[in-house]
């Protein structure tokens, strides 16, 4: 039984390690809250050192804070809020600086493939093909045949391209339509390959974001307990 549980744990851990990539944490690192949090360093002084704002986060009647001897003060809540936004903003900035280059085009696989089919040139696909053949495939989508690639090149590129004897035998749009499945597989392979790079930076981003979200939830949880206790003690 223990061996079975341990085997299940190892299987899940290996799956987590294999899939540990940037695109799976975009909502946490690049959502509307982390984006807005980047403004905190510029307006943070107004939050921490403004008495009128501090008075807004006092809940003496609602939570009975004048009778409570435990919990956070209004200043403590503001500090939690301030440092939470600082950390979320730092996580977002680091995300934007250190994310894989593929995520500059799109932060999820579906959009990356769709935009890649629209905007990428033959040179980009040649670069992807060279990476797959040099470093090996990362996913099953990289297991395409060289004959498919050669057929795509023959359909997309003119004979004698770059010379005076060039023959207009290639049709880029027709080649994309005919070999769309191959190109999608190459784009998926490329996105998944780079999605799991720079994992140290990803981990630092997640640590900053995790602490930031905890600091945001802490005042809310503390206030909820105070309100609940105050309601039942009346």
């Amino acid at each position: 039984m223990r061996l079975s549980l341990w085997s299940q744990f190892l299987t899940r851990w290996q799956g987590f390690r294999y899939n540990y990539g940037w695109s799976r944490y975009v909502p946490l690192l690049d959502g509307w809250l982390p984006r807005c949090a980047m403004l905190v360093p510029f307006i943070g002084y107004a939050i921490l050192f403004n008495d009128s704002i501090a008075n807004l986060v006092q809940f003496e009647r609602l939570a009975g804070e004048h009778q409570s001897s435990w919990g956070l003060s209004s200043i403590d809540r503001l500090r939690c809020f301030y440092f939470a936004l600082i950390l979320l903003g730092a996580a977002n900035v680091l995300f934007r600086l250190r994310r894989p280059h593929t995520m500059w085009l799109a932060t999820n696989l579906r959009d990356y493939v769709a935009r890649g089919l629209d905007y990428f040139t033959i040179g980009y696909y040649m670069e992807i093909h060279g990476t797959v053949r040099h470093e090996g495939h990362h996913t099953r989508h990289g297991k395409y045949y060289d004959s498919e690639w050669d057929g795509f090149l023959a359909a997309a590129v003119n004979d004698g391209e770059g010379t005076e004897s060039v023959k207009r035998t290639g049709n880029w749009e027709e080649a994309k339509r005919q070999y769309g499945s191959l190109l999608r597989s190459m784009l998926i392979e490329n996105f998944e390959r780079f999605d799991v790079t720079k994992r140290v930076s990803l981990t630092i981003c997640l640590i900053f974001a995790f602490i930031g979200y905890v600091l945001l939830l802490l005042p809310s949880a503390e206030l909820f307990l105070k309100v609940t206790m105050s309601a039942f003690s009346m």
Side-chain angles (χ1 to χ4, degrees), residues 131-172:
T131 301
V132 173
R133 290 297 178 258
H134 178 70
E135 300 181 8
H137 62 84
H138 177 72
T139 68
R140 60 183 178 85
H141 296 282
K143 295 182 178 180
Y144 56 86
Y145 294 106
D146 284 336
S147 58
E148 291 183 88
W149 172 252
D150 293 338
F152 166 69
L153 280 184
V157 180
N158 296 320
D159 291 338
E161 188 70 57
T163 66
E164 295 182 356
S165 58
V166 60
K167 297 180 180 179
R168 303 300 178 183
T169 57
N171 188 317
W172 172 241

Side-chain angles (χ1 to χ4, degrees), residues 23-145:
S23 62
R24 290 162 180 80
Y25 301 98
V26 169
L28 293 176
L29 302 175
D30 198 37
W32 66 269
L33 183 56
R35 289 184 181 184
C36 295
M38 289 192 297
L39 298 175
V40 170
F42 303 102
I43 62 174
Y45 70 93
I47 296 177
L48 277 182
F49 304 108
N50 193 316
D51 293 336
S52 61
I53 294 180
N55 292 330
L56 293 177
V57 292
Q58 291 180 346
F59 303 93
E60 294 185 359
R61 293 184 179 180
L62 179 64
E65 289 190 330
H66 61 286
Q67 301 175 350
S68 177
S69 59
W70 65 276
L72 301 174
S73 66
S74 59
I75 296 298
D76 291 332
R77 293 192 188 100
L78 279 178
R79 286 171 177 165
C80 286
F81 184 70
Y82 174 75
F83 286 112
L85 294 182
I86 286 289
L87 289 171
L88 289 176
N92 185 258
V93 170
L94 185 59
F95 168 83
R96 292 175 176 274
L97 293 176
R98 294 293 298 164
R99 60 184 170 177
H101 72 275
T102 50
M103 298 191 73
W104 288 93
L105 180 66
T107 56
N108 62 78
L109 179 60
R110 177 181 296 181
D111 290 344
Y112 179 80
V113 172
R115 293 175 184 175
L117 290 173
D118 287 337
Y119 300 120
F120 286 168
T121 63
I122 184 65
Y124 198 89
Y125 290 107
M126 293 177 69
E127 182 180 340
I128 295 176
H129 176 72
T131 301
V132 173
R133 290 297 178 258
H134 178 70
E135 300 181 8
H137 62 84
H138 177 72
T139 68
R140 60 183 178 85
H141 296 282
K143 295 182 178 180
Y144 56 86
Y145 294 106

